[in-house]
Amino acid sequence: MLDFHKNHKLLVGTAMFGFFVLSILVALMPAFQIQQTQPLPTMEGFSEEELNGLHIYVQENCMSCHTQQVRNIEMDNSWGKRPSIPSDYYFSKQRQDLWRQSPSLLGSERTGPDLTNAGQRQPGMEWHLLHLYNPRIVVKESIMPSYPWLFELKEESKIKDTDYLVAVPQKFIHASNKKVVASKKALDLVAYLQSLKQAEMPQNPAVGFIPSSKKIEPRNNGGDAVLPDGEKLYMNNCAACHQAEGGGLAGAFPSLIGSPIINDENPETLIRIILEGYDARPEFGVMPGFQETLSDEEVAAIANHERSNWGNTAGAVTLDEVKEIRSFVNSLKQ
């Protein structure tokens, strides 16, 4: 019979044995398993700017409000193309330096949106810089704090050619005679945020999203086919810059209200802008293209939402028109 209450050596020995067994199971074995994780074939390591941006992301404790983990439930499919896997964190789990362990980026609270695929969802540098300087500029309801210490106010005469000017509307700048210049820290942080893109799996993944019990049926947004919800797609992909009511942001993003491109009888220019992006107007930020991220049905749904709201009265875009224009755009690249 084991007499733990009298045999102290047996008690201490058993406790030590239990400690070593648990250490192996809980700490050592998972650590060795993590070392076997390899990146996906399409993943690339961080550039110097992106790595610096990762360190700034950690310094500013962005993980307290943002996660980087797409769970395998259907409600998370707006944050990524698939559930997260260990390989997604291969480069971010490297040690920061000799003294600092790899940062914990997963987060546990979504006070702000998940950032797993933020670089794909919102690739524009101008938007990220405005959002860091004052989130209310681009998202009126945002509760995210501003980060003005990542920027510098300069008089126009003192601005250098190497300075990166941020198109902040004047009403958000307290000094009327100064311009906002992004610091290197701000540019590096944005470079890191732009790098957050979920890599493609080499084959169709066996893991997928657990479907919701409630299905939302697509609705007809105009045209010959039943299209996805154009309003929801617009809010997810366009509203951050052009705003929910289509009014844009003076000096940064153009208004869609009464736009001749939106209301043109021929929708080719609008569809090409959605697919290829737009940077022909220097007074506004560069718009990224969505050719790789939006399907023909989604492009048609967004175009129809823009052409039939905020006083715009243009005709509906058909799925065939989008397919034809996408085919033409692809042919130009060959």
Side-chain angles (χ1 to χ4, degrees):
M1 182 176 178
L2 298 178
D3 199 3
F4 285 109
H5 68 288
K6 292 183 178 179
N7 192 336
H8 293 168
K9 291 183 179 180
L10 179 61
L11 176 62
V12 172
T14 303
M16 290 295 292
F17 177 77
F19 170 78
F20 285 120
V21 169
L22 288 175
S23 297
I24 293 171
L25 293 176
V26 176
L28 293 180
M29 288 181 63
F32 283 118
Q33 289 175 343
I34 289 175
Q35 297 303 317
Q36 306 305 314
T37 301
Q38 295 297 317
L40 294 170
T42 56
M43 290 178 64
E44 297 180 359
F46 291 123
S47 66
E48 182 180 351
E49 291 78 13
E50 292 165 356
L51 187 59
N52 290 337
L54 168 60
H55 295 165
I56 296 165
Y57 183 90
V58 175
Q59 290 170 14
E60 299 296 344
N61 196 27
C62 301
M63 304 84 67
S64 63
C65 295
H66 294 282
T67 58
Q68 286 189 40
Q69 51 177 317
V70 180
R71 300 167 297 181
N72 66 338
I73 53 178
E74 194 172 48
M75 66 181 293
D76 274 20
N77 65 7
S78 60
W79 306 127
K81 297 172 284 188
R82 54 169 175 77
S84 297
I85 60 175
S87 293
D88 293 330
Y89 309 102
Y90 177 82
F91 293 108
S92 59
K93 72 180 179 64
Q94 307 299 322
R95 295 185 69 93
Q96 295 190 64
D97 53 39
L98 179 63
W99 306 108
R100 292 183 295 175
Q101 181 56 279
S102 59
S104 176
L105 303 176
L106 290 179
S108 60
E109 183 176 347
R110 285 180 180 168
T111 304
D114 183 272
L115 300 180
T116 299
N117 211 31
Q120 192 74 57
R121 261 192 342 260
Q122 189 56 260
M125 175 178 283
E126 288 81 4
W127 186 91
H128 282 293
L129 289 171
L130 285 171
H131 192 239
L132 287 172
Y133 183 76
N134 186 337
R136 265 65 59 190
I137 296 176
V138 290
V139 183
K140 293 180 181 179
E141 302 82 6
S142 177
I143 60 172
M144 174 175 157
S146 303
Y147 292 84
W149 54 87
L150 297 178
F151 301 86
E152 184 180 354
L153 292 178
K154 284 190 175 183
E155 295 180 3
E156 197 161 356
S157 59
K158 296 182 179 179
I159 295 175
K160 303 175 183 177
D161 293 338
T162 54
D163 287 337
Y164 193 101
L165 282 175
V166 185
V168 177
Q170 197 60 47
K171 67 177 182 179
F172 292 98
I173 305 176
H174 300 300
S176 59
N177 62 333
K178 293 187 177 181
K179 301 291 184 182
V180 178
V181 175
S183 68
K184 187 178 186 305
K185 280 190 172 184
L187 295 175
D188 287 347
L189 178 55
V190 170
Y192 170 68
L193 294 173
Q194 289 178 306
S195 75
L196 297 177
K197 300 177 183 179
Q198 208 170 36
E200 296 286 349
M201 297 287 285
Q203 297 175 347
N204 291 330
V207 61
F209 293 106
I210 299 174
S212 169
S213 59
K214 181 180 178 182
K215 294 295 181 183
I216 299 175
E217 296 296 330
R219 67 187 188 184
N220 195 325
N221 286 48
D224 300 335
V226 176
L227 301 176
D229 188 335
E231 181 180 9
K232 181 179 178 180
L233 286 166
Y234 174 85
M235 294 302 296
N236 288 341
N237 295 279
C238 315
C241 295
H242 295 292
Q243 305 299 296
E245 300 301 324
L249 191 62
F253 309 113
S255 170
L256 304 181
I257 300 173
S259 165
I261 294 176
I262 300 293
N263 289 283
D264 195 335
E265 183 178 348
N266 183 351
E268 179 179 354
T269 301
L270 172 60
I271 294 171
R272 290 194 62 175
I273 287 175
I274 296 174
L275 292 173
E276 299 180 280
Y278 194 69
D279 63 351
R281 297 180 64 179
E283 69 270 27
F284 293 118
V286 176
M287 174 180 165
F290 293 90
Q291 187 171 4
E292 303 298 327
T293 57
L294 294 178
S295 67
D296 294 333
E297 291 82 1
E298 291 170 331
V299 171
I302 290 174
N304 285 335
H305 176 74
E306 294 174 348
R307 287 163 68 86
S308 61
N309 282 279
W310 320 307
N312 299 329
T313 57
V317 173
T318 66
L319 185 57
D320 287 340
E321 287 176 310
V322 177
K323 289 181 177 179
E324 182 180 351
I325 293 170
R326 187 191 288 269
S327 177
F328 173 71
V329 169
N330 289 336
S331 68
L332 295 179
K333 297 180 178 180
Q334 296 175 356

